[in-house]
Amino acid sequence: MNQDQSHQPGKKSAQALHRETKMEERKVETAKGSPLAKGAKRVEERAKSSDGKSAGEKQH
């Protein structure tokens, strides 16, 4: 088995996870009625949703 063949199962799993994540994101955006924040805004949104504090507030 060469190196390319040994990476095939992991590569397929990663692709499947990526597809599933996109589908889940579309469902959430549809239910929410607006697109989810992306990048740094999304990190901040997710941090606040757990306990109402921003990521910066949690650091202090």
Side-chain angles (χ1 to χ4, degrees), residues 1-59:
M1 181 181 286
N2 68 29
Q3 192 170 6
D4 284 340
Q5 289 173 328
S6 67
H7 290 309
Q8 285 296 345
K11 195 171 192 177
K12 286 181 182 180
S13 294
Q15 289 170 340
L17 179 61
H18 188 71
R19 274 193 308 274
E20 290 293 323
T21 302
K22 280 187 158 216
M23 287 175 26
E24 181 67 23
E25 187 173 281
R26 281 189 206 118
K27 282 197 277 185
V28 171
E29 287 177 337
T30 300
K32 182 180 172 193
S34 63
L36 292 171
K38 304 292 188 248
K41 288 181 180 180
R42 186 166 188 171
V43 171
E44 188 66 24
E45 180 181 272
R46 300 289 294 190
K48 280 187 176 180
S49 69
S50 66
D51 62 4
K53 294 181 180 179
S54 71
E57 290 172 328
K58 292 178 187 182
Q59 295 293 323

